[in-house]
Amino acid sequence: IKGSAKKKSNDTDTYGNSYTKTIGAGYSSMIWDKTEASYNLDKKYNTLTATIFGRSGKSETGYYSVVIYGDGTVLYENYSIADNGRAFDISIDITGVSELLVEIDVSSNNIITKGIAMADVVLQRTVA
């Protein structure tokens, strides 16, 4: 992982569900801008799956975004992820992608104990 995305070995969402090996921004990490994680895939994978979740200790809702690029092209974008919403899964075709970039933007709200993250990221290898 390159950039300022916060890696955590264990994390918990708003509803108490536990996740392992997460990357995220906001809450506890004190990162309140657009953060990035970059992966060199070398065109060896065809599917990315992950769980996106929010974490909020407050009653008001903050909305954040995740954008995933493959070689500079947007493959996934969601600009309205609620930090107190339920976790959800994504699946993205990454066939032929050399450089994968994940941007997590939490700059819209600087309240500690809020943020979003990705967990259970799986890259399926392309069968040659």
Side-chain angles (χ1 to χ4, degrees), residues 3-126:
S4 58
K6 178 72 174 173
K7 296 187 298 183
K8 296 180 95 175
S9 57
N10 294 295
D11 203 354
T12 305
D13 70 11
T14 302
Y15 299 94
N17 300 305
S18 296
Y19 302 91
T20 59
K21 297 181 182 175
T22 67
I23 60 168
Y27 62 85
S28 320
S29 65
M30 300 305 290
I31 299 169
W32 296 111
D33 55 5
K34 188 181 294 183
T35 65
E36 299 179 348
S38 177
Y39 302 87
N40 181 3
L41 303 183
D42 198 26
K43 300 182 182 183
K44 295 181 180 178
Y45 301 90
N46 62 354
T47 305
L48 175 146
T49 59
T51 300
I52 297 176
F53 66 94
R55 180 165 180 248
S56 174
K58 305 284 184 182
S59 59
E60 70 273 11
T61 302
Y63 291 96
Y64 308 106
S65 65
V66 172
V67 181
I68 300 175
Y69 300 88
D71 298 326
T73 300
V74 174
L75 303 176
Y76 173 85
E77 57 188 340
N78 187 334
Y79 296 95
S80 58
I81 302 170
D83 60 2
N84 60 1
R86 296 284 179 183
F88 60 94
D89 296 328
I90 62 170
S91 180
I92 303 167
D93 181 6
I94 56 171
T95 302
V97 171
S98 293
E99 185 75 15
L100 186 76
L101 178 67
V102 177
E103 288 184 347
I104 302 172
D105 190 352
V106 296
S107 61
S108 63
N109 195 333
N110 292 343
I111 300 173
I112 295 174
T113 73
K114 289 182 158 280
I116 58 174
M118 289 178 61
D120 306 325
V121 177
V122 175
L123 299 172
Q124 181 181 1
R125 186 173 302 276
T126 302

